[in-house]
Amino acid sequence: MTRNLRIAIVASLLLLACDALAATPEGEVRARIEALQRQWVEAVNRGDVDTILDLYAEDAWFLPAGSPPLHGRDEIRDWWQRTLSDPPWRTLRFYPVAVRLADGGDLAYDIGVSRTTRSGPDGETVERGKYLIVWERIDGEWKVAADAFNSD
């Protein structure tokens, strides 16, 4: 068997496996959460606090590193506005490592890693971290019910 044929077979099998995963309820939830995360990252990178807040449930809990627990969109809005303006974040990226759907289908959690680049008086810094987000399906839409992160 030629090398190119082996590569084509492996690629085909991987595509079939991805299609099979996406067809499961957990795969569909993961795809939706990943799409919401892309929106979140884009909103953070352009400083769009309103779009970020729309991802959170009204009564969400937010547990950012170095801060007391925050509850509700008003407190979460204040944190995001302060954070995005001082010091300015140049970029934020985060990537899910695992997305799990609870048996009832209306809760999911997402564990992943993040990378933030900030500009400050001492130049540019890169921070790596991890996060845990609990998602809740509210009126058919996935919203963040709890969000916690910290640095590595």
Side-chain angles (χ1 to χ4, degrees), residues 33-48 51-52 55 80 84 89-96 113-115 131:
I33 287 173
E34 287 175 349
L36 290 169
Q37 288 175 330
R38 284 190 298 276
Q39 291 174 8
W40 196 342
V41 166
E42 291 168 5
V44 168
N45 290 335
R46 63 176 187 268
D48 184 352
T51 297
I52 296 166
L55 295 166
W80 276 109
L84 292 177
W89 285 17
R90 294 207 41 235
T91 60
L92 166 69
R93 298 283 183 257
F94 55 100
Y95 311 94
V113 296
S114 62
R115 182 177 186 273
Y131 67 85

Side-chain angles (χ1 to χ4, degrees), residues 61-138:
W61 283 95
F62 186 35
L63 306 148
S67 171
L70 305 172
H71 187 236
R73 282 188 180 175
D74 289 340
E75 290 182 10
I76 295 168
R77 175 190 301 277
D78 291 343
W79 187 91
W80 276 109
Q81 285 176 328
R82 281 191 319 275
T83 299
L84 292 177
S85 64
D86 185 31
W89 285 17
R90 294 207 41 235
T91 60
L92 166 69
R93 298 283 183 257
F94 55 100
Y95 311 94
V97 174
V99 176
R100 298 291 185 263
L101 180 62
D103 286 340
D106 286 333
L107 282 177
Y109 68 86
D110 163 22
I111 296 172
V113 296
S114 62
R115 182 177 186 273
T116 305
T117 305
R118 301 177 194 231
S119 295
D122 298 329
E124 190 172 279
T125 60
V126 174
E127 182 178 297
R128 287 172 173 47
K130 63 258 180 213
Y131 67 85
L132 169 65
I133 300 172
V134 177
W135 296 85
E136 182 177 8
R137 192 182 339 237
I138 301 172

